[in-house]
Amino acid sequence: MSNIFQRVRDITLATLNDHLERSEDPIRVIDNFLLKTRHEIEEAERLYHQYLVHANQMKRQLNQAEELRERREQQALMALKAGEELAAKLALQEKMMHEEKVIHYTELYEKSKQAILELEAQLQALKNEFQSAYDKRQIYIARMQTIHLQQRMNERTGQYGHQQVNGMFRRLEDRVNDMEWETNSIRDVRGMNGGYNGGFERESKLDQELQRLKQKLNTSKE
Protein backbone atom coordinates (compact mmCIF):
# COMPACT_ATOMS: atom_id res chain seq x y z
CA MET A 1 0.00 0.00 0.00
CA SER A 2 1.49 3.35 -1.06
CA ASN A 3 0.91 6.93 -0.01
CA ILE A 4 -0.61 5.97 3.34
CA PHE A 5 0.46 9.22 4.92
CA GLN A 6 0.11 12.05 2.45
CA ARG A 7 2.19 15.09 3.48
CA VAL A 8 0.99 18.44 2.21
CA ARG A 9 3.05 21.52 3.17
CA ASP A 10 4.39 24.63 1.57
CA ILE A 11 8.03 23.94 2.48
CA THR A 12 9.86 20.63 2.17
CA LEU A 13 13.42 19.81 3.06
CA ALA A 14 14.27 19.84 -0.65
CA THR A 15 13.05 23.45 -1.02
CA LEU A 16 14.10 24.68 2.42
CA ASN A 17 17.40 26.10 1.18
CA ASP A 18 15.62 28.19 -1.45
CA HIS A 19 13.35 29.69 1.20
CA LEU A 20 16.34 30.35 3.44
CA GLU A 21 18.16 32.20 0.67
CA ARG A 22 15.17 34.49 0.08
CA SER A 23 14.33 35.07 3.73
CA GLU A 24 15.68 37.86 5.92
CA ASP A 25 14.98 35.72 8.99
CA PRO A 26 16.23 32.18 8.27
CA ILE A 27 15.73 31.08 11.88
CA ARG A 28 11.99 31.80 11.65
CA VAL A 29 11.77 29.82 8.38
CA ILE A 30 13.48 26.84 9.98
CA ASP A 31 11.35 27.10 13.12
CA ASN A 32 8.17 27.02 11.01
CA PHE A 33 9.50 24.01 9.14
CA LEU A 34 10.38 22.24 12.40
CA LEU A 35 6.94 22.97 13.86
CA LYS A 36 5.11 21.59 10.85
CA THR A 37 7.39 18.58 10.63
CA ARG A 38 6.88 17.87 14.34
CA HIS A 39 3.11 17.88 13.80
CA GLU A 40 3.51 15.52 10.86
CA ILE A 41 5.65 13.20 12.94
CA GLU A 42 3.05 13.16 15.70
CA GLU A 43 0.27 12.47 13.18
CA ALA A 44 2.30 9.71 11.54
CA GLU A 45 3.04 8.16 14.93
CA ARG A 46 -0.67 8.14 15.82
CA LEU A 47 -1.48 6.50 12.49
CA TYR A 48 1.35 4.04 13.00
CA HIS A 49 0.03 2.94 16.39
CA GLN A 50 -3.48 2.65 14.96
CA TYR A 51 -2.16 0.34 12.27
CA LEU A 52 -0.35 -1.72 14.89
CA VAL A 53 -3.62 -2.18 16.78
CA HIS A 54 -5.44 -2.99 13.55
CA ALA A 55 -2.79 -5.49 12.49
CA ASN A 56 -2.97 -7.22 15.86
CA GLN A 57 -6.74 -7.46 15.54
CA MET A 58 -6.44 -8.95 12.05
CA LYS A 59 -3.87 -11.41 13.35
CA ARG A 60 -6.19 -12.54 16.16
CA GLN A 61 -9.08 -12.90 13.73
CA LEU A 62 -6.84 -14.87 11.39
CA ASN A 63 -5.65 -17.19 14.14
CA GLN A 64 -9.21 -17.76 15.30
CA ALA A 65 -10.41 -18.52 11.75
CA GLU A 66 -7.52 -20.96 11.21
CA GLU A 67 -8.25 -22.67 14.52
CA LEU A 68 -11.96 -23.08 13.70
CA ARG A 69 -11.12 -24.29 10.20
CA GLU A 70 -8.86 -27.00 11.57
CA ARG A 71 -11.43 -27.93 14.23
CA ARG A 72 -14.23 -28.32 11.69
CA GLU A 73 -11.89 -30.41 9.52
CA GLN A 74 -11.32 -32.79 12.42
CA GLN A 75 -15.03 -32.89 13.24
CA ALA A 76 -15.86 -33.80 9.63
CA LEU A 77 -13.32 -36.66 9.75
CA MET A 78 -14.73 -37.95 13.01
CA ALA A 79 -18.29 -37.77 11.60
CA LEU A 80 -17.26 -39.75 8.50
CA LYS A 81 -15.58 -42.37 10.66
CA ALA A 82 -18.80 -42.65 12.64
CA GLY A 83 -20.82 -43.02 9.42
CA GLU A 84 -22.60 -39.71 9.96
CA GLU A 85 -22.22 -38.21 6.51
CA LEU A 86 -24.73 -35.40 7.11
CA ALA A 87 -22.85 -34.23 10.17
CA ALA A 88 -19.64 -34.44 8.17
CA LYS A 89 -21.14 -32.19 5.47
CA LEU A 90 -22.29 -29.65 8.04
CA ALA A 91 -18.83 -29.61 9.56
CA LEU A 92 -17.25 -29.19 6.12
CA GLN A 93 -19.59 -26.28 5.32
CA GLU A 94 -18.44 -24.44 8.44
CA LYS A 95 -14.87 -25.39 7.60
CA MET A 96 -15.26 -23.76 4.17
CA MET A 97 -16.76 -20.64 5.76
CA HIS A 98 -13.79 -20.34 8.09
CA GLU A 99 -11.46 -20.96 5.15
CA GLU A 100 -12.88 -17.87 3.46
CA LYS A 101 -12.32 -15.92 6.65
CA VAL A 102 -8.73 -17.13 6.72
CA ILE A 103 -8.19 -15.83 3.19
CA HIS A 104 -9.91 -12.53 4.01
CA TYR A 105 -8.04 -11.90 7.27
CA THR A 106 -4.75 -13.02 5.75
CA GLU A 107 -5.12 -10.37 3.04
CA LEU A 108 -6.03 -7.68 5.58
CA TYR A 109 -3.20 -8.71 7.87
CA GLU A 110 -0.65 -8.57 5.04
CA LYS A 111 -1.89 -5.15 3.98
CA SER A 112 -1.60 -3.93 7.57
CA LYS A 113 1.96 -5.23 7.81
CA GLN A 114 2.86 -3.52 4.54
CA ALA A 115 1.30 -0.29 5.77
CA ILE A 116 3.26 -0.52 9.00
CA LEU A 117 6.51 -0.95 7.09
CA GLU A 118 5.70 2.02 4.88
CA LEU A 119 4.77 4.16 7.87
CA GLU A 120 8.00 3.19 9.61
CA ALA A 121 9.95 4.34 6.55
CA GLN A 122 7.98 7.59 6.34
CA LEU A 123 8.39 8.22 10.05
CA GLN A 124 12.13 7.70 9.78
CA ALA A 125 12.27 10.05 6.79
CA LEU A 126 10.35 12.71 8.72
CA LYS A 127 12.61 12.33 11.73
CA ASN A 128 15.67 12.57 9.49
CA GLU A 129 14.28 15.76 7.93
CA PHE A 130 13.54 17.17 11.37
CA GLN A 131 17.06 16.41 12.60
CA SER A 132 18.63 17.81 9.44
CA ALA A 133 16.64 21.04 9.73
CA TYR A 134 17.44 21.27 13.45
CA ASP A 135 21.15 20.88 12.73
CA LYS A 136 20.87 23.54 10.05
CA ARG A 137 19.15 25.80 12.58
CA GLN A 138 22.04 25.40 15.02
CA ILE A 139 24.51 26.27 12.26
CA TYR A 140 22.54 29.39 11.30
CA ILE A 141 22.36 30.46 14.94
CA ALA A 142 26.13 30.07 15.25
CA ARG A 143 26.63 32.03 12.03
CA MET A 144 24.30 34.81 13.20
CA GLN A 145 26.14 35.01 16.53
CA THR A 146 29.43 35.25 14.66
CA ILE A 147 28.03 38.05 12.48
CA HIS A 148 26.78 40.01 15.51
CA LEU A 149 30.10 39.62 17.30
CA GLN A 150 31.94 40.70 14.16
CA GLN A 151 29.68 43.74 13.85
CA ARG A 152 30.38 44.70 17.45
CA MET A 153 34.10 44.27 16.86
CA ASN A 154 33.88 46.40 13.71
CA GLU A 155 32.10 49.12 15.69
CA ARG A 156 34.81 49.12 18.32
CA THR A 157 37.47 49.10 15.61
CA GLY A 158 35.78 52.13 14.09
CA GLN A 159 35.80 53.90 17.43
CA TYR A 160 39.38 53.02 18.28
CA GLY A 161 40.90 52.55 14.88
CA HIS A 162 44.58 52.97 14.05
CA GLN A 163 44.10 56.37 12.44
CA GLN A 164 42.01 57.67 15.32
CA VAL A 165 44.55 56.41 17.84
CA ASN A 166 47.34 58.13 15.89
CA GLY A 167 45.30 61.31 15.73
CA MET A 168 44.68 61.16 19.46
CA PHE A 169 48.42 60.81 20.17
CA ARG A 170 49.25 63.60 17.73
CA ARG A 171 46.88 65.92 19.56
CA LEU A 172 48.39 64.84 22.88
CA GLU A 173 51.88 65.41 21.52
CA ASP A 174 50.96 68.91 20.35
CA ARG A 175 49.49 69.70 23.74
CA VAL A 176 52.58 68.49 25.58
CA ASN A 177 54.83 70.44 23.21
CA ASP A 178 52.80 73.59 23.90
CA MET A 179 53.09 73.02 27.63
CA GLU A 180 56.85 72.48 27.33
CA TRP A 181 57.27 75.63 25.22
CA GLU A 182 55.29 77.71 27.73
CA THR A 183 57.37 76.32 30.61
CA ASN A 184 60.66 76.95 28.83
CA SER A 185 59.60 80.47 27.85
CA ILE A 186 58.78 81.37 31.43
CA ARG A 187 62.11 79.96 32.58
CA ASP A 188 64.01 81.92 29.95
CA VAL A 189 62.29 85.16 30.91
CA ARG A 190 63.08 84.60 34.54
CA GLY A 191 66.67 83.82 33.61
CA MET A 192 66.96 87.11 31.75
CA ASN A 193 65.62 89.08 34.74
CA GLY A 194 68.08 87.37 37.06
CA GLY A 195 71.02 88.20 34.75
CA TYR A 196 70.10 91.89 34.61
CA ASN A 197 69.82 92.21 38.40
CA GLY A 198 73.14 90.47 38.86
CA GLY A 199 74.85 92.82 36.42
CA PHE A 200 73.42 95.87 38.11
CA GLU A 201 74.67 94.72 41.50
CA ARG A 202 78.18 94.05 40.14
CA GLU A 203 78.27 97.49 38.56
CA SER A 204 77.36 99.14 41.88
CA LYS A 205 80.10 97.31 43.71
CA LEU A 206 82.54 98.23 40.99
CA ASP A 207 81.67 101.91 41.41
CA GLN A 208 82.05 101.60 45.15
CA GLU A 209 85.51 100.06 44.74
CA LEU A 210 86.48 102.75 42.32
CA GLN A 211 85.43 105.48 44.73
CA ARG A 212 87.31 103.76 47.53
CA LEU A 213 90.49 103.72 45.46
CA LYS A 214 90.08 107.35 44.51
CA GLN A 215 89.66 108.33 48.12
CA LYS A 216 92.72 106.28 49.03
CA LEU A 217 94.72 108.01 46.32
CA ASN A 218 93.67 111.46 47.46
CA THR A 219 94.59 110.63 51.01
CA SER A 220 98.07 109.50 50.02
CA LYS A 221 98.67 112.76 48.17
CA GLU A 222 97.94 114.81 51.17
Side-chain angles (χ1 to χ4, degrees):
M1 182 180 298
S2 61
N3 297 327
I4 294 173
F5 183 65
Q6 294 288 346
R7 291 181 292 144
V8 179
R9 54 186 175 177
D10 53 348
I11 300 179
T12 64
L13 186 62
T15 60
L16 180 60
N17 286 331
D18 294 337
H19 286 77
L20 292 177
E21 292 295 333
R22 296 194 301 267
S23 175
E24 296 181 357
D25 190 353
I27 301 301
R28 178 177 296 179
V29 173
I30 296 176
D31 285 343
N32 289 336
F33 176 85
L34 290 174
L35 181 61
K36 293 179 181 179
T37 304
R38 167 52 62 187
H39 290 163
E40 291 173 4
I41 290 174
E42 293 173 352
E43 183 179 346
E45 286 177 340
R46 285 193 295 269
L47 184 58
Y48 176 76
H49 290 300
Q50 290 172 358
Y51 260 102
L52 286 178
V53 173
H54 178 70
N56 290 332
Q57 290 176 345
M58 294 303 98
K59 182 61 175 176
R60 285 195 296 270
Q61 294 289 346
L62 174 60
N63 292 339
Q64 184 179 5
E66 289 176 339
E67 182 182 349
L68 291 173
R69 180 189 63 183
E70 297 302 324
R71 185 181 302 176
R72 296 297 180 262
E73 175 81 14
Q74 294 299 322
Q75 288 174 349
L77 287 174
M78 292 174 62
L80 283 176
K81 289 179 181 179
E84 298 180 3
E85 186 172 338
L86 180 58
K89 287 182 178 181
L90 292 174
L92 287 174
Q93 286 179 350
E94 289 193 23
K95 183 249 182 181
M96 293 171 62
M97 180 186 65
H98 291 301
E99 181 68 32
E100 291 179 358
K101 289 183 178 181
V102 167
I103 296 173
H104 179 68
Y105 287 124
T106 298
E107 181 181 358
L108 293 176
Y109 179 62
E110 292 300 326
K111 287 182 178 180
S112 296
K113 288 198 302 182
Q114 182 63 33
I116 289 172
L117 292 176
E118 185 175 341
L119 276 171
E120 286 177 348
Q122 292 181 356
L123 259 174
Q124 188 59 49
L126 281 172
K127 290 178 179 179
N128 290 341
E129 288 185 1
F130 184 90
Q131 186 62 46
S132 178
Y134 180 80
D135 293 341
K136 190 181 295 291
R137 182 183 189 275
Q138 298 303 100
I139 292 174
Y140 268 97
I141 289 178
R143 290 174 63 184
M144 294 297 291
Q145 289 175 342
T146 301
I147 291 173
H148 292 158
L149 291 173
Q150 185 67 45
Q151 290 174 342
R152 291 177 60 188
M153 186 180 72
N154 292 341
E155 291 174 359
R156 293 184 64 84
T157 302
Q159 294 175 357
Y160 304 101
H162 180 70
Q163 294 182 352
Q164 292 190 358
V165 170
N166 288 340
M168 178 183 67
F169 279 112
R170 281 197 299 271
R171 289 192 296 272
L172 180 60
E173 181 70 19
D174 292 341
R175 178 57 180 163
V176 172
N177 288 337
D178 291 342
M179 294 173 64
E180 290 177 344
W181 182 84
E182 292 176 359
T183 301
N184 292 334
S185 297
I186 294 174
R187 184 191 60 191
D188 292 343
V189 170
R190 289 177 178 176
M192 292 174 61
N193 291 335
Y196 175 79
N197 290 335
F200 178 78
E201 290 178 356
R202 284 195 298 271
E203 186 174 354
S204 297
K205 289 182 179 180
L206 179 61
D207 290 340
Q208 291 176 1
E209 287 292 318
L210 181 62
Q211 290 298 325
R212 184 181 62 80
L213 289 176
K214 286 181 177 180
Q215 289 178 0
K216 184 178 181 181
L217 181 63
N218 292 331
T219 301
S220 61
K221 287 179 178 182
E222 292 176 357

